[in-house]
Amino acid sequence: MEPVFEFPIDFAGIGTSGQTGRTRLLHEQLRAAILDQRLRPGVELPSTRRVATAYGIARNTVIAAYDLLVAEGYVVTHAGAKATVADLGARPANKTARRSPRLEDDRLSPQWRLPAWTTTRYAADTWTPGFQLGTPEHRYFPFDIWRRLLTRAFNPRRPASFGYQDPHGRPLLRTAIAQHVSFARAVACSADDVIVTSGAQQAFDLLARMLVTPGRTKVAVEDPGYPPLRTAMAAAGAQLVSVPVDDEGLCVDQLPNDVRVVYVTPSHQFPTGAAMSLQRRAALLAFARARGAVIIEDDYDGEFRYGNRPLDALQTLDRDACVLYVGTFSKSLFPSLRIGYVVAPAWAREALAAVKQCADTTGNTQVQDALAQFILDGHLARYVRKMRKLYAGRRATMLDGIQRELHPWLEPIPSEAGIHLSARFKDTANASLFIAKARQHTPGALPLSNFAMARDYAEGIAFGFGCIDEAGIRDGLQKLRRSLRR
Amino acid sequence: MEPVFEFPIDFAGIGTSGQTGRTRLLHEQLRAAILDQRLRPGVELPSTRRVATAYGIARNTVIAAYDLLVAEGYVVTHAGAKATVADLGARPANKTARRSPRLEDDRLSPQWRLPAWTTTRYAADTWTPGFQLGTPEHRYFPFDIWRRLLTRAFNPRRPASFGYQDPHGRPLLRTAIAQHVSFARAVACSADDVIVTSGAQQAFDLLARMLVTPGRTKVAVEDPGYPPLRTAMAAAGAQLVSVPVDDEGLCVDQLPNDVRVVYVTPSHQFPTGAAMSLQRRAALLAFARARGAVIIEDDYDGEFRYGNRPLDALQTLDRDACVLYVGTFSKSLFPSLRIGYVVAPAWAREALAAVKQCADTTGNTQVQDALAQFILDGHLARYVRKMRKLYAGRRATMLDGIQRELHPWLEPIPSEAGIHLSARFKDTANASLFIAKARQHTPGALPLSNFAMARDYAEGIAFGFGCIDEAGIRDGLQKLRRSLRR
């Protein structure tokens, strides 16, 4: 069956039972596609009948979803013509249109009338660790040391530490981060180059706001790639340009010349896991130099590398001050710490601090002070070393399991870093069955298409091994194999 | 001497010695004025000679500052004509113009090319408490209880608390905040209505992004008012409308009809301290109802009230779901905690969570969990009660000191809440001398004009009493009096 949209529609989210749930899912995914321009203004929507057939859902479900989009102004209809995607930029206020009051209110800025991705995929306290991507192990974290440092950070004799702070981040933490990335990633920087953020996501959001001129700036993103980055760029008014990735990372030769910002995950492409080759790195830097473009290098799990000598970071190779390096402690420590950072060239630093100050002034001071001491006392380096060993074991088990148990279906994508592993389907005809079974037996594993914008992306699946031990990995993969054999 | 700009220019910032420092200060303040449209596009700049004379600085200093503004594109010159403020909205990329590489780079989005306010006024660890505004006392904070709760929040048996979280904030904290504002401020809400932010500044920034359609939405702000709120609104592309305040708060009858968002500090106007009268509150709600406008109610220090029965919050009086109530723990606990919140009506909630998720996903989980327990165990209520008594004493000392020591110069502005107190000059001719002396003897006190957009605002001064004890207040005010008498 030929797909009717050039991107996957997933009917397996939360709260999807019944027609109402499926209507909501279809509506939300189409809306998201309109908002991030996978569905461009003026494009005709396929007929409700065709969509219903393609996805095996009731036609009324599709009609209801389309009606919502029309009511909200995302889709326009003309008598005797097919429904087309509205031009949101030019959309006039439409007070008389029917609308869903829960989802839309004309007091909201158009781009936020319908949240494209929110509040559906977070960890409740009943959450169970499994094959989730990007969730590290927390059980071996040195809680006692951390608690002691955090306790010490509340020092009543330092009155200034309770007041408002420098938007660049706490000075000692900037020093510690500079030391950490210089050592762990050979990133050339000093404390002055570092700006502390509330996780990598805030780094992306601040960079988007700082670099994008709404409606004008073209931003190239990896496809498949990291959706929250796309959201931040789209929210800032960027024109997103999808660029494919292969086993050497971003296909640099497919970058349009007028792209001003290029987002890449060179150490460990998200989600495929591929490392960007040195040739591609050089080509990307040459592109940036020639075109005056800026590169955002997202090194989200670069601390965990299992191969030989790692490739240099783009930031290390950069001679033209065009790389903005983004790091995070979400993988090396844990995500709910919410500390990330940007290593920024001089031209960007003050503007970045200004956006940070506008956005939230600073993050929590005591957590920053504790983390600074944690790094400077050598605890981070020790912990990363220990976890690298642990993750290396889990990764070997995962790779072995995929090759031994799942070789009829999967071909691992070469990768040397991080806390997840991806594989391609040998026969994409089996993809949807495989994904359905994986949802049951390796919960948290995700289809690569979840991260894709283009339709022709060769389908695969990503398994996280950050928060599951070797026995759990073996067990999950065996159960998956047995279930597939049945 | 007639002022040459319709807003004050301050030459007393950090790093202002010598001509370079003064050039930088003048340049930054003019740029800030252009960015927030106190200097509107097309306005002619006064001659460098006139500026030099007016502020008693070298003409070369003014020429250098103007040159920078021209180089950066903020000011345009035409042969034989005066320099005029550029139209930033329509500014074409100007690659051939001379530019200052430290301050501008055409890779930056135009609005962030020159940070309007950043990194100059933060607390270094050498900072000394004095008459600063908005800086609360920290010495009586129950550090032991807090450390214990924070230590407990790191619970390895709750794996989900180390992962990514709901962008609305931790469920227990939302419950605790709902309980706190219901009790302390009679704000009608449940946990579902609460969204946790990284301080009030993030609340303003998220609301700005959510409510403002760039270039279209008019946002009314108090004048004088809180500059970081204006920055967030301007960054989102709002058209700022300055509306005067008097001793009853915002002059509601001066709101233009096409304003879509109105920002107010009704409990304790920042910086004048005036409480908004009930008549004005009713008028503002009627305005919002009639015009479909939204009200942002900033209740930054509403926990500290010293008068009779406090006036109801706008949120409490609202029957049309048009009030977004913003609270913070920066005054009731301490600013570097970085926790604030929005109590939002249903129509705004999901969009707000979506912007939050785009902005930084969430704040630090363990700090949120500790704060939740701190509130639910009654520690916040106890601490606020204790501090209210302490601040009431300081406030009485401050008021007494102003009336006893400074009555020849100052007339206090009636006020019943908060941790600062403002007063008007009886004779504005003395204002600059007074301010210069105050800078020396009551460090941290600020001229009200620092917060004003309009030029005709009756000048005054604001003294904080959050982080200085009664002896310090008496001492500072006496020294100031003696110095003025000399």
Side-chain angles (χ1 to χ4, degrees), chain B residues 15-239:
Chain B
T16 62
S17 54
Q19 194 192 317
T20 318
R22 278 189 296 273
T23 298
R24 210 189 102 229
L25 276 176
L26 180 61
H27 162 257
E28 283 181 358
Q29 292 178 73
L30 291 179
R31 192 191 63 207
I34 293 169
L35 281 169
D36 67 12
Q37 301 208 358
R38 280 173 294 162
L39 278 175
R40 300 193 162 271
V43 161
E44 284 190 354
L45 290 185
S47 73
T48 52
R49 191 181 304 275
R50 219 176 123 218
V51 176
T53 313
Y55 296 100
I57 55 179
R59 197 172 156 215
N60 277 343
T61 303
V62 188
I63 293 175
Y66 276 27
D67 276 356
L68 263 175
L69 292 170
V70 170
E72 294 156 359
Y74 284 84
V75 166
V76 287
T77 47
H78 306 281
K82 277 191 168 176
T84 56
V85 174
D87 184 354
L88 296 181
R91 190 152 73 105
N94 185 357
K95 294 208 183 185
T96 55
R98 203 159 36 110
R99 58 195 169 99
S100 144
R102 194 183 68 79
L103 292 173
E104 186 196 29
D105 193 286
D106 60 11
R107 285 173 281 197
L108 299 173
S109 170
Q111 88 180 104
W112 294 107
R113 277 191 198 160
L114 290 166
W117 55 290
T118 182
T119 69
T120 45
R121 266 180 294 173
Y122 57 85
D125 272 350
T126 52
W127 176 87
T128 320
F131 291 82
Q132 285 85 0
L133 308 190
T135 308
E137 185 57 74
H138 73 282
R139 285 175 292 176
Y140 307 101
F141 180 69
F143 285 101
D144 286 348
I145 294 170
W146 180 256
R147 287 180 181 130
R148 179 166 50 76
L149 293 176
L150 198 51
T151 293
R152 269 215 327 239
F154 284 91
N155 184 345
R157 275 165 301 184
R158 284 194 187 167
S161 73
F162 298 95
Y164 291 93
Q165 309 294 327
D166 184 344
H168 292 87
R170 291 288 280 175
L172 202 62
L173 180 57
R174 298 169 73 199
T175 304
I177 288 173
Q179 184 185 306
H180 168 66
V181 290
S182 303
F183 177 77
R185 302 290 295 119
V187 163
C189 69
S190 74
D192 286 345
D193 308 321
V194 175
I195 284 155
V196 181
T197 59
S198 173
Q201 184 60 26
Q202 189 180 49
F204 301 145
D205 191 55
L206 300 180
L207 291 175
R209 295 171 74 175
M210 180 181 89
L211 296 171
V212 171
T213 304
R216 287 233 302 267
T217 307
K218 285 198 179 167
V219 176
V221 295
E222 298 172 324
D223 193 4
Y226 187 59
L229 175 280
R230 295 203 292 261
T231 305
M233 289 294 166
Q239 296 180 40

Side-chain angles (χ1 to χ4, degrees), chain A residues 117-174:
Chain A
W117 56 287
T118 183
T119 70
T120 43
R121 267 180 295 175
Y122 56 85
D125 272 349
T126 53
W127 176 88
T128 319
F131 291 82
Q132 287 85 359
L133 308 190
T135 307
E137 184 57 76
H138 72 283
R139 285 176 293 177
Y140 306 101
F141 180 69
F143 286 101
D144 286 347
I145 293 170
W146 180 255
R147 287 179 181 131
R148 180 167 50 75
L149 294 175
L150 197 52
T151 293
R152 267 215 327 236
F154 284 92
N155 184 345
R157 274 164 302 182
R158 282 194 190 168
S161 73
F162 298 96
Y164 292 93
Q165 309 294 327
D166 185 342
H168 293 86
R170 291 287 281 178
L172 201 64
L173 180 57
R174 298 169 71 199

Side-chain angles (χ1 to χ4, degrees), chain B residues 417-452:
Chain B
I419 56 173
H420 77 264
L421 204 80
S422 295
R424 288 206 184 89
F425 292 119
K426 287 184 174 168
D427 180 355
T428 51
N430 298 326
S432 26
L433 176 72
F434 191 100
I435 288 163
K437 299 277 186 187
R439 191 169 291 127
Q440 198 180 342
H441 299 292
T442 55
L446 287 175
L448 296 184
S449 57
N450 274 26
F451 308 100

